[in-house]
Amino acid sequence: RRKGRVVLYKYSLWIFARDPVLPHEMMKKEYSIDGNNISNFKEFVQEFNKKVFKSDHWHGNIDTLDDMLDGGYGTPDESEDFTIFWENASKSREDLDANEYLMWKMKGADMRYADESFKKEIELAQSGLGMTMFMLLVNTIVNHKNIQLVLN
């Protein structure tokens, strides 16, 4: 926690008393998604589109989410720092579990052509020991250096 201090910023004198917020932090955009509105991956997509992207352009492809978080698609720009607050994240952690990941992973998969690593990933998800949808989403979001994710 920062103590009160005086900061010179672009020829302006900023005096902070208790819990200072620096000028560059005041400019940071903030978005909030609510885990109470999310009980499955489809609802996550709807909530994220509504609250962060302000559109319905993302349809659930994780590579596309990654690209859109880079900016330039009417989405937050990569040069912009911003924060996403994930309210009620513990509920989302429970709802976006290994079963949800498994359903997402298997959608459109043809097991006849699956390699061994894909099959192993499916086995781990089925046992509840592998990746969860929540983990995949969090990893995708925090992979961007300009995005701060706060799980509440």
Side-chain angles (χ1 to χ4, degrees), residues 33-40 43 47 51 86-93 95 152:
I33 59 174
D34 189 349
N36 285 334
N37 298 332
I38 301 166
S39 60
N40 56 48
E43 290 176 358
E47 179 77 358
K51 303 284 181 68
W86 193 332
E87 305 298 331
N88 303 297
S90 58
K91 178 187 176 303
S92 296
R93 183 179 288 117
D95 292 340
N152 291 323

Side-chain angles (χ1 to χ4, degrees), residues 28-141:
K28 186 185 271 191
K29 288 186 178 182
E30 295 180 352
Y31 303 93
S32 180
I33 59 174
D34 189 349
N36 285 334
N37 298 332
I38 301 166
S39 60
N40 56 48
F41 180 59
K42 182 179 178 183
E43 290 176 358
F44 174 84
V45 171
Q46 292 169 343
E47 179 77 358
F48 208 83
N49 274 333
K50 180 180 176 184
K51 303 284 181 68
V52 178
F53 292 150
K54 311 278 192 230
S55 72
D56 63 351
H57 296 307
W58 178 48
H59 301 286
N61 181 294
I62 297 298
D63 290 333
T64 303
L65 172 64
D66 192 45
D67 290 344
M68 290 177 78
L69 288 172
D70 281 337
Y73 298 91
T75 58
D77 187 17
E78 181 183 67
S79 63
E80 292 180 290
D81 288 346
F82 62 94
T83 302
I84 298 172
F85 293 93
W86 193 332
E87 305 298 331
N88 303 297
S90 58
K91 178 187 176 303
S92 296
R93 183 179 288 117
E94 291 174 20
D95 292 340
L96 299 172
D97 60 5
N99 287 330
E100 198 67 26
Y101 176 77
L102 184 59
M103 288 191 305
W104 171 80
K105 191 76 173 172
M106 294 299 293
K107 186 177 182 181
D110 188 340
M111 292 304 288
R112 295 177 297 172
Y113 304 107
D115 63 10
E116 287 305 310
S117 66
F118 183 86
K119 290 177 182 176
K120 184 67 174 172
E121 195 173 350
I122 296 304
E123 287 174 22
L124 285 170
Q126 288 172 331
S127 68
L129 299 174
M131 178 70 76
T132 67
M133 201 68 216
F134 183 81
M135 289 167 45
L136 179 63
L137 293 167
V138 167
N139 289 340
T140 302
I141 294 167

